[in-house]
Amino acid sequence: MSHQSDLIAEDISAYLKAQEEKSMLRFITCGSVDDGKSTLIGRLLYDSKLIFEDQLNALEADSKKMGTQGQEIDFALLVDGLAAEREQGITIDVAYRFFSTDKRKFIVADTPGHEQYTRNMATGASTADVAILLIDARKGVLTQTRRHSFICSLVGIKRIVLAVNKMDLVDYSQKVLNDIEVEYREFAKDFGFTEIMSIPLSALKGDNIIEKSANTPWYDGPTLMHYLETVQVGDARQAADFRLPVQWVNRPNLDFRGFSGTIASGAIRPGDPIKVLPSAVESTVKSIVTYDGDLDEAVAGEAVTITLNDEIDISRGDVIAGKDHPCEVADQFEAKIIWMTEDHMLPGRPYLFKTSNKMVPGLVTDLKHKVNVNTLEHTAAKQLELNEIGVCNIALDSRIAFDPYTKNRETGSFIIIDRITNSTVGVGMIDFALRRASNIHWQALDVDKVARADMKHQRPAVLWFTGLSGSGKSTIANIVEKRLFQRARHTYILDGDNVRHGLNQDLGFTDADRVENIRRVGEVAKLMVDAGLMVMTSFISPFRAERRMVHDLMDEGEFIEVYVDTPIEVCAERDPKGLYKKAKAGEIKNFTGYDSPYEAPERADIHVNTEAMSAEECADKIIGYLEENGYLTANGNGQR
Amino acid sequence: MTKTLTHLKRLEAESIHIMREVAAEAENPVMLYSVGKDSAVMLHLAMKAFYPSKPPFPVMHVDTTWKFREMIEFRDTHTKSLGLDLIVHINEDGVKQGIGPFSHGSQVHTDVMKTQALKAALDKYGFDAAFGGARRDEEKSRAKERIFSFRSAQHRWDPKNQRPELWNIYNTRKAQGESIRVFPLSNWTELDIWQYIHLENIPIPGLYLSKKRPVVERDGQLFMVDDDRFPLKDGEEPMMKSVRFRTLGCYPLTGAVESEADTLEDVIQEMLLTTSSERQGRVIDHDAAASMEKKKQEGYF
């Protein structure tokens, strides 16, 4: 860790004092393995004397064993991490490296340049102030350069270093650098970069990394290290409007009520007027409390606790903003989404959306188009796949405080979480709120659901039959309806035959269409329940997530999941519509159980096994459930 | 007027943000405390994060019963002076079986008394989130570790199945039985840690400072004879040497370095001028190149 200051040996106290005033820069390196990216990072670590003797010995040994540079040191080996990757000779994830000079501490996000890794690059770029774009001097601006630039721009990076590497292989030609720079500037002109700094380099030989190279006498710009040490960052964030997303309410006792969080932008002082969002309640700042004493001022990036002069109700998820320039509040947005998982993003499927301090259920209502990262073309699409970028409309279950992402990275971003696997499946950047949401109000009617149900002497609900094709859903649903009808109940059956031929005739059998099919059926069933009916639906409905979505549409107790459990061999043998035969012959695609999955319910309300029971017996069991749970009783709902 | 935040202020704020997020979203978090310098910084940051409240979680030390005696004293007085709720967990089965580094070797000892003990402790108290003091700069395989690292119900780490982390938004959702290891010091380096200890005047165990201590040499490394469980060879007498420790752990597994640095500043000076990396003194890392990654998959912190 040998920093090279003489002060270390001479006056360690003075040295430490100076070091404690250092600033920090986070940057990302983009480029492919072949561009010499790992070599560049290894070189920065090596040349800033951050490699210890024991590491160097190991490096020399490793270089001989598996290096790609003959007897020379292979710097790439310093930074390629996990064992499996080392053997493959590629980096496959985001790795963070650290080094410091006497002026600054640096955090480097090292991300791979392969086609399929948009996800990793966006991850690394999301916290970076500057991006270093590696370009092989022999190859110039490539498709991947465009892709990397687009992602940097999307994620809001403003400063780009165009690091033209391998200059040693083009005889340190000034023309090569100039041509690349001209081409790049033209192509990047709409990306909103405030600075593009091109530097001729050889990471392998060390040209213009730390010291100005004698090989490029025509170049009068900064070396890479000089640029990184001096580039100004962070001013804009402090100059922006004040935002404090409340993370945690601090209540050690009844006399203290503070609001803790990291200031996303702007600055605050005691006495400043503030507005809390979404509630729009106003107050003034009483104090800025920290462990090291109260502050006169706090700025973007500081983690603080503030107290207010009025006792107002503020919780985690709220944003405290400056009174005169508050953030916006909405529950519907247009946003750019980067999809990060193998399972496709499907419009209509419910997800969780998490901002920096709040988690809200919601769904992508509409995929307007996707953006090709290589050509920047917009194309229509029904779903987003891993590493794809789309412009979408989003509807949340409740309102959140936000800013457009281009205005504020901290309050304009969110991640998307799968409700079943809990993994982070995508991320988004808010463009703007959709105003129309606030104009649609549910018409409150005098004759309501309870009134309509009471008149029919029943408690309306959906009996949602799910199971494989041929499992017996429709047969059982028909018997149940007959029984209910005989008892003068008001019923309706929704099934593939009466829905696919009309309402949903525009839908096919892809995953996206299956989701939309179920969403529409769910909405229709909801209206029918509102009308007071006992609704039976008979759809394969193979995905847990969609059944969950319909469940969530309904009020408590209105969704009864009936699992018609029949093994696929039995269904295939019955094959009432001859579909299994066709699927087997390859004539039908996306057939559930063959080449499309069926996710069985984990806790169905009613489970019927058609191997052990006849259809009549299954219907008996269902009617029994309805009786026991008061669905067939007048005034079952009771609480008017 | 722009106020420039120093690198230590930015690191501090990031760590505090992470701790508050866990306090707000986890049901039953705990802070793992190893009594070393990184733990000292982590504890200090926790005091700051929730001030004027106390950290809303207990602090837990997995005691292998082979720690330096001075560490244990420091642990007890320090956590008491901060008013923290300390849990000490010892694998009693391992103690009954007489597991130790001398009799069973470093691998078995570490596995039973540390790795297995930690898993058992997390299960016993039902902790669903555990803060650890690991840093990404410690070792190559850690450079890719997430700040929020997910473990299966069997406490296993799957390097292929970790969640992307963007901005400062952390996904803390997990299924029943699963847990999260959270590393608020991920982006700190060893130098940052020392500078921060210096700047903030954070108490650390005296073992980090040089002092005459009884040591013997084994395989070219100096080990301190901290108690009479140390098996001396026939006629062997511990030598009194001025030594200090760069990392703290079980005393039979922690090599000392000869040094005259008996103040914090001297230690930092020596570290800045030195030419070998921090973990060299740890016996546990001297296995194959990918050893740490393997240990992590098995649940070693």
Side-chain angles (χ1 to χ4, degrees), chain A residues 464-469 473 514 517-518 537-547 550 559 561-562 592 597-601:
Chain A
W464 189 277
F465 290 78
T466 173
L468 295 168
S469 177
K473 297 182 296 296
R514 281 173 189 266
N517 183 41
I518 297 305
T537 65
S538 170
F539 295 87
I540 299 173
S541 45
F543 305 129
R544 243 171 245 145
E546 277 64 62
R547 298 195 299 263
V550 179
F559 181 87
E561 190 172 39
V562 184
T592 303
Y598 178 77
E599 299 167 1

PDB file of all heavy atoms in Angstrom, chain A residues 464-469 473 514 517-518 537-547 550 559 561-562 592 597-601:
ATOM      1  N   TRP A 464     -62.374 -20.250  -8.736  1.00  0.00           N
ATOM      2  CA  TRP A 464     -61.364 -20.231  -9.814  1.00  0.00           C
ATOM      3  C   TRP A 464     -60.823 -21.646  -9.999  1.00  0.00           C
ATOM      4  O   TRP A 464     -60.015 -22.119  -9.211  1.00  0.00           O
ATOM      5  CB  TRP A 464     -60.250 -19.253  -9.453  1.00  0.00           C
ATOM      6  CG  TRP A 464     -59.311 -19.036 -10.599  1.00  0.00           C
ATOM      7  CD1 TRP A 464     -58.265 -19.822 -10.950  1.00  0.00           C
ATOM      8  CD2 TRP A 464     -59.358 -17.979 -11.548  1.00  0.00           C
ATOM      9  NE1 TRP A 464     -57.658 -19.323 -12.073  1.00  0.00           N
ATOM     10  CE2 TRP A 464     -58.305 -18.189 -12.463  1.00  0.00           C
ATOM     11  CE3 TRP A 464     -60.203 -16.873 -11.742  1.00  0.00           C
ATOM     12  CZ2 TRP A 464     -58.068 -17.332 -13.545  1.00  0.00           C
ATOM     13  CZ3 TRP A 464     -59.957 -16.019 -12.811  1.00  0.00           C
ATOM     14  CH2 TRP A 464     -58.906 -16.248 -13.704  1.00  0.00           C
ATOM     15  N   PHE A 465     -61.313 -22.343 -11.051  1.00  0.00           N
ATOM     16  CA  PHE A 465     -60.850 -23.697 -11.328  1.00  0.00           C
ATOM     17  C   PHE A 465     -59.543 -23.633 -12.110  1.00  0.00           C
ATOM     18  O   PHE A 465     -59.481 -23.011 -13.169  1.00  0.00           O
ATOM     19  CB  PHE A 465     -61.882 -24.453 -12.168  1.00  0.00           C
ATOM     20  CG  PHE A 465     -63.140 -24.787 -11.408  1.00  0.00           C
ATOM     21  CD1 PHE A 465     -64.111 -23.820 -11.184  1.00  0.00           C
ATOM     22  CD2 PHE A 465     -63.349 -26.068 -10.904  1.00  0.00           C
ATOM     23  CE1 PHE A 465     -65.284 -24.122 -10.486  1.00  0.00           C
ATOM     24  CE2 PHE A 465     -64.512 -26.380 -10.204  1.00  0.00           C
ATOM     25  CZ  PHE A 465     -65.480 -25.403  -9.990  1.00  0.00           C
ATOM     26  N   THR A 466     -58.516 -24.273 -11.581  1.00  0.00           N
ATOM     27  CA  THR A 466     -57.247 -24.340 -12.318  1.00  0.00           C
ATOM     28  C   THR A 466     -56.795 -25.792 -12.398  1.00  0.00           C
ATOM     29  O   THR A 466     -57.047 -26.579 -11.481  1.00  0.00           O
ATOM     30  CB  THR A 466     -56.155 -23.462 -11.672  1.00  0.00           C
ATOM     31  OG1 THR A 466     -54.906 -23.693 -12.340  1.00  0.00           O
ATOM     32  CG2 THR A 466     -55.971 -23.778 -10.194  1.00  0.00           C
ATOM     33  N   GLY A 467     -56.146 -26.133 -13.492  1.00  0.00           N
ATOM     34  CA  GLY A 467     -55.679 -27.506 -13.691  1.00  0.00           C
ATOM     35  C   GLY A 467     -55.320 -27.708 -15.151  1.00  0.00           C
ATOM     36  O   GLY A 467     -55.609 -26.846 -15.989  1.00  0.00           O
ATOM     37  N   LEU A 468     -54.712 -28.827 -15.439  1.00  0.00           N
ATOM     38  CA  LEU A 468     -54.267 -29.108 -16.804  1.00  0.00           C
ATOM     39  C   LEU A 468     -55.442 -29.229 -17.768  1.00  0.00           C
ATOM     40  O   LEU A 468     -56.586 -29.417 -17.347  1.00  0.00           O
ATOM     41  CB  LEU A 468     -53.476 -30.428 -16.819  1.00  0.00           C
ATOM     42  CG  LEU A 468     -52.163 -30.429 -16.050  1.00  0.00           C
ATOM     43  CD1 LEU A 468     -51.658 -31.855 -15.898  1.00  0.00           C
ATOM     44  CD2 LEU A 468     -51.139 -29.567 -16.777  1.00  0.00           C
ATOM     45  N   SER A 469     -55.150 -29.110 -19.035  1.00  0.00           N
ATOM     46  CA  SER A 469     -56.162 -29.346 -20.061  1.00  0.00           C
ATOM     47  C   SER A 469     -56.665 -30.783 -19.926  1.00  0.00           C
ATOM     48  O   SER A 469     -55.856 -31.704 -19.822  1.00  0.00           O
ATOM     49  CB  SER A 469     -55.527 -29.138 -21.444  1.00  0.00           C
ATOM     50  OG  SER A 469     -56.484 -29.434 -22.437  1.00  0.00           O
ATOM     51  N   LYS A 473     -61.967 -29.546 -15.304  1.00  0.00           N
ATOM     52  CA  LYS A 473     -62.417 -28.258 -14.774  1.00  0.00           C
ATOM     53  C   LYS A 473     -63.844 -27.921 -15.224  1.00  0.00           C
ATOM     54  O   LYS A 473     -64.712 -27.630 -14.405  1.00  0.00           O
ATOM     55  CB  LYS A 473     -61.482 -27.132 -15.248  1.00  0.00           C
ATOM     56  CG  LYS A 473     -60.056 -27.248 -14.775  1.00  0.00           C
ATOM     57  CD  LYS A 473     -59.216 -26.078 -15.250  1.00  0.00           C
ATOM     58  CE  LYS A 473     -59.061 -26.007 -16.766  1.00  0.00           C
ATOM     59  NZ  LYS A 473     -58.329 -27.137 -17.371  1.00  0.00           N
ATOM     60  N   ARG A 514     -51.042 -15.367 -22.510  1.00  0.00           N
ATOM     61  CA  ARG A 514     -51.705 -16.104 -21.426  1.00  0.00           C
ATOM     62  C   ARG A 514     -51.936 -15.189 -20.228  1.00  0.00           C
ATOM     63  O   ARG A 514     -52.983 -15.228 -19.586  1.00  0.00           O
ATOM     64  CB  ARG A 514     -50.849 -17.294 -20.985  1.00  0.00           C
ATOM     65  CG  ARG A 514     -50.941 -18.484 -21.912  1.00  0.00           C
ATOM     66  CD  ARG A 514     -49.935 -19.534 -21.485  1.00  0.00           C
ATOM     67  NE  ARG A 514     -49.831 -20.612 -22.454  1.00  0.00           N
ATOM     68  CZ  ARG A 514     -50.529 -21.747 -22.381  1.00  0.00           C
ATOM     69  NH1 ARG A 514     -51.358 -21.953 -21.384  1.00  0.00           N
ATOM     70  NH2 ARG A 514     -50.384 -22.674 -23.298  1.00  0.00           N
ATOM     71  N   ASN A 517     -54.731 -12.815 -21.106  1.00  0.00           N
ATOM     72  CA  ASN A 517     -55.990 -13.567 -21.104  1.00  0.00           C
ATOM     73  C   ASN A 517     -56.544 -13.640 -19.678  1.00  0.00           C
ATOM     74  O   ASN A 517     -57.701 -13.313 -19.421  1.00  0.00           O
ATOM     75  CB  ASN A 517     -55.699 -14.969 -21.654  1.00  0.00           C
ATOM     76  CG  ASN A 517     -56.945 -15.831 -21.761  1.00  0.00           C
ATOM     77  OD1 ASN A 517     -58.004 -15.352 -22.165  1.00  0.00           O
ATOM     78  ND2 ASN A 517     -56.818 -17.098 -21.381  1.00  0.00           N
ATOM     79  N   ILE A 518     -55.683 -14.034 -18.754  1.00  0.00           N
ATOM     80  CA  ILE A 518     -56.121 -14.198 -17.366  1.00  0.00           C
ATOM     81  C   ILE A 518     -56.445 -12.838 -16.737  1.00  0.00           C
ATOM     82  O   ILE A 518     -57.398 -12.705 -15.980  1.00  0.00           O
ATOM     83  CB  ILE A 518     -55.040 -14.942 -16.540  1.00  0.00           C
ATOM     84  CG1 ILE A 518     -54.840 -16.363 -17.087  1.00  0.00           C
ATOM     85  CG2 ILE A 518     -55.409 -14.984 -15.066  1.00  0.00           C
ATOM     86  CD1 ILE A 518     -56.098 -17.209 -17.159  1.00  0.00           C
ATOM     87  N   THR A 537     -64.901 -19.888 -13.033  1.00  0.00           N
ATOM     88  CA  THR A 537     -64.028 -19.715 -14.186  1.00  0.00           C
ATOM     89  C   THR A 537     -63.286 -21.021 -14.418  1.00  0.00           C
ATOM     90  O   THR A 537     -62.876 -21.681 -13.471  1.00  0.00           O
ATOM     91  CB  THR A 537     -62.982 -18.608 -13.978  1.00  0.00           C
ATOM     92  OG1 THR A 537     -62.116 -19.023 -12.937  1.00  0.00           O
ATOM     93  CG2 THR A 537     -63.635 -17.297 -13.611  1.00  0.00           C
ATOM     94  N   SER A 538     -63.149 -21.362 -15.674  1.00  0.00           N
ATOM     95  CA  SER A 538     -62.502 -22.619 -16.004  1.00  0.00           C
ATOM     96  C   SER A 538     -61.396 -22.357 -17.019  1.00  0.00           C
ATOM     97  O   SER A 538     -61.623 -22.335 -18.219  1.00  0.00           O
ATOM     98  CB  SER A 538     -63.578 -23.560 -16.569  1.00  0.00           C
ATOM     99  OG  SER A 538     -62.975 -24.689 -17.118  1.00  0.00           O
ATOM    100  N   PHE A 539     -60.201 -22.088 -16.485  1.00  0.00           N
ATOM    101  CA  PHE A 539     -59.024 -21.825 -17.331  1.00  0.00           C
ATOM    102  C   PHE A 539     -57.843 -22.612 -16.786  1.00  0.00           C
ATOM    103  O   PHE A 539     -57.714 -22.749 -15.560  1.00  0.00           O
ATOM    104  CB  PHE A 539     -58.677 -20.331 -17.331  1.00  0.00           C
ATOM    105  CG  PHE A 539     -59.747 -19.487 -17.966  1.00  0.00           C
ATOM    106  CD1 PHE A 539     -60.810 -19.016 -17.211  1.00  0.00           C
ATOM    107  CD2 PHE A 539     -59.698 -19.210 -19.320  1.00  0.00           C
ATOM    108  CE1 PHE A 539     -61.817 -18.278 -17.796  1.00  0.00           C
ATOM    109  CE2 PHE A 539     -60.705 -18.459 -19.913  1.00  0.00           C
ATOM    110  CZ  PHE A 539     -61.773 -17.992 -19.159  1.00  0.00           C
ATOM    111  N   ILE A 540     -56.976 -23.047 -17.674  1.00  0.00           N
ATOM    112  CA  ILE A 540     -55.788 -23.769 -17.191  1.00  0.00           C
ATOM    113  C   ILE A 540     -55.047 -22.883 -16.189  1.00  0.00           C
ATOM    114  O   ILE A 540     -54.601 -23.314 -15.160  1.00  0.00           O
ATOM    115  CB  ILE A 540     -54.863 -24.147 -18.381  1.00  0.00           C
ATOM    116  CG1 ILE A 540     -55.616 -25.068 -19.350  1.00  0.00           C
ATOM    117  CG2 ILE A 540     -53.615 -24.854 -17.863  1.00  0.00           C
ATOM    118  CD1 ILE A 540     -54.853 -25.350 -20.641  1.00  0.00           C
ATOM    119  N   SER A 541     -54.971 -21.576 -16.514  1.00  0.00           N
ATOM    120  CA  SER A 541     -54.261 -20.562 -15.704  1.00  0.00           C
ATOM    121  C   SER A 541     -53.011 -21.153 -15.040  1.00  0.00           C
ATOM    122  O   SER A 541     -52.956 -21.340 -13.838  1.00  0.00           O
ATOM    123  CB  SER A 541     -55.194 -19.927 -14.658  1.00  0.00           C
ATOM    124  OG  SER A 541     -55.969 -20.875 -13.978  1.00  0.00           O
ATOM    125  N   PRO A 542     -52.002 -21.430 -15.860  1.00  0.00           N
ATOM    126  CA  PRO A 542     -50.844 -22.207 -15.389  1.00  0.00           C
ATOM    127  C   PRO A 542     -49.920 -21.464 -14.422  1.00  0.00           C
ATOM    128  O   PRO A 542     -49.188 -22.104 -13.694  1.00  0.00           O
ATOM    129  CB  PRO A 542     -50.090 -22.544 -16.683  1.00  0.00           C
ATOM    130  CG  PRO A 542     -50.462 -21.468 -17.644  1.00  0.00           C
ATOM    131  CD  PRO A 542     -51.874 -21.093 -17.302  1.00  0.00           C
ATOM    132  N   PHE A 543     -49.944 -20.123 -14.430  1.00  0.00           N
ATOM    133  CA  PHE A 543     -48.942 -19.405 -13.636  1.00  0.00           C
ATOM    134  C   PHE A 543     -49.490 -18.932 -12.296  1.00  0.00           C
ATOM    135  O   PHE A 543     -50.539 -18.295 -12.217  1.00  0.00           O
ATOM    136  CB  PHE A 543     -48.397 -18.193 -14.413  1.00  0.00           C
ATOM    137  CG  PHE A 543     -47.836 -18.551 -15.757  1.00  0.00           C
ATOM    138  CD1 PHE A 543     -48.245 -17.869 -16.899  1.00  0.00           C
ATOM    139  CD2 PHE A 543     -46.913 -19.570 -15.891  1.00  0.00           C
ATOM    140  CE1 PHE A 543     -47.732 -18.194 -18.137  1.00  0.00           C
ATOM    141  CE2 PHE A 543     -46.387 -19.898 -17.130  1.00  0.00           C
ATOM    142  CZ  PHE A 543     -46.814 -19.211 -18.255  1.00  0.00           C
ATOM    143  N   ARG A 544     -48.729 -19.229 -11.261  1.00  0.00           N
ATOM    144  CA  ARG A 544     -49.074 -18.793  -9.913  1.00  0.00           C
ATOM    145  C   ARG A 544     -49.250 -17.274  -9.840  1.00  0.00           C
ATOM    146  O   ARG A 544     -50.150 -16.760  -9.202  1.00  0.00           O
ATOM    147  CB  ARG A 544     -47.942 -19.188  -8.965  1.00  0.00           C
ATOM    148  CG  ARG A 544     -48.362 -20.171  -7.910  1.00  0.00           C
ATOM    149  CD  ARG A 544     -47.142 -20.675  -7.161  1.00  0.00           C
ATOM    150  NE  ARG A 544     -46.963 -22.077  -7.410  1.00  0.00           N
ATOM    151  CZ  ARG A 544     -45.791 -22.682  -7.511  1.00  0.00           C
ATOM    152  NH1 ARG A 544     -44.673 -22.001  -7.403  1.00  0.00           N
ATOM    153  NH2 ARG A 544     -45.737 -23.969  -7.731  1.00  0.00           N
ATOM    154  N   ALA A 545     -48.355 -16.574 -10.531  1.00  0.00           N
ATOM    155  CA  ALA A 545     -48.363 -15.117 -10.422  1.00  0.00           C
ATOM    156  C   ALA A 545     -49.684 -14.529 -10.902  1.00  0.00           C
ATOM    157  O   ALA A 545     -50.206 -13.589 -10.301  1.00  0.00           O
ATOM    158  CB  ALA A 545     -47.200 -14.529 -11.221  1.00  0.00           C
ATOM    159  N   GLU A 546     -50.262 -15.096 -11.959  1.00  0.00           N
ATOM    160  CA  GLU A 546     -51.517 -14.540 -12.478  1.00  0.00           C
ATOM    161  C   GLU A 546     -52.699 -14.883 -11.576  1.00  0.00           C
ATOM    162  O   GLU A 546     -53.604 -14.089 -11.385  1.00  0.00           O
ATOM    163  CB  GLU A 546     -51.784 -15.046 -13.897  1.00  0.00           C
ATOM    164  CG  GLU A 546     -51.063 -14.253 -14.964  1.00  0.00           C
ATOM    165  CD  GLU A 546     -49.572 -14.361 -14.835  1.00  0.00           C
ATOM    166  OE1 GLU A 546     -49.049 -15.491 -14.962  1.00  0.00           O
ATOM    167  OE2 GLU A 546     -48.925 -13.340 -14.554  1.00  0.00           O
ATOM    168  N   ARG A 547     -52.677 -16.100 -11.018  1.00  0.00           N
ATOM    169  CA  ARG A 547     -53.760 -16.456 -10.098  1.00  0.00           C
ATOM    170  C   ARG A 547     -53.704 -15.546  -8.889  1.00  0.00           C
ATOM    171  O   ARG A 547     -54.710 -15.084  -8.362  1.00  0.00           O
ATOM    172  CB  ARG A 547     -53.649 -17.929  -9.707  1.00  0.00           C
ATOM    173  CG  ARG A 547     -53.789 -18.872 -10.915  1.00  0.00           C
ATOM    174  CD  ARG A 547     -54.045 -20.304 -10.509  1.00  0.00           C
ATOM    175  NE  ARG A 547     -52.980 -20.878  -9.720  1.00  0.00           N
ATOM    176  CZ  ARG A 547     -51.989 -21.638 -10.207  1.00  0.00           C
ATOM    177  NH1 ARG A 547     -51.950 -21.925 -11.496  1.00  0.00           N
ATOM    178  NH2 ARG A 547     -51.068 -22.127  -9.412  1.00  0.00           N
ATOM    179  N   VAL A 550     -55.255 -12.190  -9.771  1.00  0.00           N
ATOM    180  CA  VAL A 550     -56.713 -12.158  -9.714  1.00  0.00           C
ATOM    181  C   VAL A 550     -57.153 -12.164  -8.240  1.00  0.00           C
ATOM    182  O   VAL A 550     -58.050 -11.415  -7.850  1.00  0.00           O
ATOM    183  CB  VAL A 550     -57.316 -13.355 -10.465  1.00  0.00           C
ATOM    184  CG1 VAL A 550     -58.831 -13.322 -10.365  1.00  0.00           C
ATOM    185  CG2 VAL A 550     -56.874 -13.348 -11.924  1.00  0.00           C
ATOM    186  N   PHE A 559     -62.226 -14.773  -3.545  1.00  0.00           N
ATOM    187  CA  PHE A 559     -61.503 -15.604  -4.508  1.00  0.00           C
ATOM    188  C   PHE A 559     -61.302 -16.983  -3.905  1.00  0.00           C
ATOM    189  O   PHE A 559     -60.661 -17.125  -2.870  1.00  0.00           O
ATOM    190  CB  PHE A 559     -60.145 -14.958  -4.824  1.00  0.00           C
ATOM    191  CG  PHE A 559     -59.314 -15.726  -5.827  1.00  0.00           C
ATOM    192  CD1 PHE A 559     -59.474 -15.513  -7.191  1.00  0.00           C
ATOM    193  CD2 PHE A 559     -58.366 -16.660  -5.406  1.00  0.00           C
ATOM    194  CE1 PHE A 559     -58.694 -16.212  -8.116  1.00  0.00           C
ATOM    195  CE2 PHE A 559     -57.600 -17.361  -6.331  1.00  0.00           C
ATOM    196  CZ  PHE A 559     -57.768 -17.129  -7.692  1.00  0.00           C
ATOM    197  N   GLU A 561     -59.824 -20.590  -4.755  1.00  0.00           N
ATOM    198  CA  GLU A 561     -59.022 -21.321  -5.739  1.00  0.00           C
ATOM    199  C   GLU A 561     -59.354 -22.810  -5.654  1.00  0.00           C
ATOM    200  O   GLU A 561     -59.237 -23.420  -4.597  1.00  0.00           O
ATOM    201  CB  GLU A 561     -57.529 -21.092  -5.477  1.00  0.00           C
ATOM    202  CG  GLU A 561     -56.635 -21.611  -6.587  1.00  0.00           C
ATOM    203  CD  GLU A 561     -55.168 -21.211  -6.395  1.00  0.00           C
ATOM    204  OE1 GLU A 561     -54.684 -21.220  -5.238  1.00  0.00           O
ATOM    205  OE2 GLU A 561     -54.506 -20.894  -7.398  1.00  0.00           O
ATOM    206  N   VAL A 562     -59.791 -23.381  -6.777  1.00  0.00           N
ATOM    207  CA  VAL A 562     -60.133 -24.804  -6.815  1.00  0.00           C
ATOM    208  C   VAL A 562     -59.106 -25.517  -7.706  1.00  0.00           C
ATOM    209  O   VAL A 562     -59.027 -25.247  -8.907  1.00  0.00           O
ATOM    210  CB  VAL A 562     -61.539 -25.026  -7.407  1.00  0.00           C
ATOM    211  CG1 VAL A 562     -61.905 -26.512  -7.349  1.00  0.00           C
ATOM    212  CG2 VAL A 562     -62.566 -24.192  -6.658  1.00  0.00           C
ATOM    213  N   THR A 592     -49.545 -26.511 -22.378  1.00  0.00           N
ATOM    214  CA  THR A 592     -49.237 -26.684 -20.961  1.00  0.00           C
ATOM    215  C   THR A 592     -49.000 -28.143 -20.622  1.00  0.00           C
ATOM    216  O   THR A 592     -49.809 -29.004 -20.984  1.00  0.00           O
ATOM    217  CB  THR A 592     -50.378 -26.139 -20.086  1.00  0.00           C
ATOM    218  OG1 THR A 592     -50.566 -24.772 -20.438  1.00  0.00           O
ATOM    219  CG2 THR A 592     -50.050 -26.246 -18.606  1.00  0.00           C
ATOM    220  N   PRO A 597     -44.923 -24.594 -18.910  1.00  0.00           N
ATOM    221  CA  PRO A 597     -45.045 -25.163 -17.555  1.00  0.00           C
ATOM    222  C   PRO A 597     -46.426 -24.974 -16.921  1.00  0.00           C
ATOM    223  O   PRO A 597     -47.168 -24.062 -17.292  1.00  0.00           O
ATOM    224  CB  PRO A 597     -44.006 -24.366 -16.759  1.00  0.00           C
ATOM    225  CG  PRO A 597     -43.897 -23.060 -17.477  1.00  0.00           C
ATOM    226  CD  PRO A 597     -44.148 -23.339 -18.925  1.00  0.00           C
ATOM    227  N   TYR A 598     -46.765 -25.860 -15.979  1.00  0.00           N
ATOM    228  CA  TYR A 598     -47.931 -25.651 -15.126  1.00  0.00           C
ATOM    229  C   TYR A 598     -47.437 -25.552 -13.680  1.00  0.00           C
ATOM    230  O   TYR A 598     -46.776 -26.457 -13.179  1.00  0.00           O
ATOM    231  CB  TYR A 598     -48.935 -26.805 -15.242  1.00  0.00           C
ATOM    232  CG  TYR A 598     -50.133 -26.595 -14.318  1.00  0.00           C
ATOM    233  CD1 TYR A 598     -51.139 -25.686 -14.658  1.00  0.00           C
ATOM    234  CD2 TYR A 598     -50.222 -27.254 -13.089  1.00  0.00           C
ATOM    235  CE1 TYR A 598     -52.204 -25.447 -13.801  1.00  0.00           C
ATOM    236  CE2 TYR A 598     -51.290 -27.014 -12.231  1.00  0.00           C
ATOM    237  CZ  TYR A 598     -52.279 -26.114 -12.585  1.00  0.00           C
ATOM    238  OH  TYR A 598     -53.313 -25.853 -11.735  1.00  0.00           O
ATOM    239  N   GLU A 599     -47.752 -24.438 -13.051  1.00  0.00           N
ATOM    240  CA  GLU A 599     -47.344 -24.247 -11.651  1.00  0.00           C
ATOM    241  C   GLU A 599     -48.539 -24.558 -10.751  1.00  0.00           C
ATOM    242  O   GLU A 599     -49.472 -23.752 -10.667  1.00  0.00           O
ATOM    243  CB  GLU A 599     -46.861 -22.814 -11.408  1.00  0.00           C
ATOM    244  CG  GLU A 599     -45.653 -22.439 -12.262  1.00  0.00           C
ATOM    245  CD  GLU A 599     -45.349 -20.941 -12.265  1.00  0.00           C
ATOM    246  OE1 GLU A 599     -46.068 -20.176 -11.587  1.00  0.00           O
ATOM    247  OE2 GLU A 599     -44.390 -20.548 -12.947  1.00  0.00           O
ATOM    248  N   ALA A 600     -48.509 -25.721 -10.110  1.00  0.00           N
ATOM    249  CA  ALA A 600     -49.639 -26.150  -9.287  1.00  0.00           C
ATOM    250  C   ALA A 600     -49.797 -25.217  -8.085  1.00  0.00           C
ATOM    251  O   ALA A 600     -48.818 -24.683  -7.581  1.00  0.00           O
ATOM    252  CB  ALA A 600     -49.417 -27.576  -8.810  1.00  0.00           C
ATOM    253  N   PRO A 601     -51.029 -24.999  -7.605  1.00  0.00           N
ATOM    254  CA  PRO A 601     -51.239 -24.141  -6.435  1.00  0.00           C
ATOM    255  C   PRO A 601     -50.547 -24.743  -5.219  1.00  0.00           C
ATOM    256  O   PRO A 601     -50.496 -25.957  -5.067  1.00  0.00           O
ATOM    257  CB  PRO A 601     -52.753 -24.161  -6.241  1.00  0.00           C
ATOM    258  CG  PRO A 601     -53.320 -24.629  -7.521  1.00  0.00           C
ATOM    259  CD  PRO A 601     -52.290 -25.514  -8.138  1.00  0.00           C
TER     260      PRO A 601
END
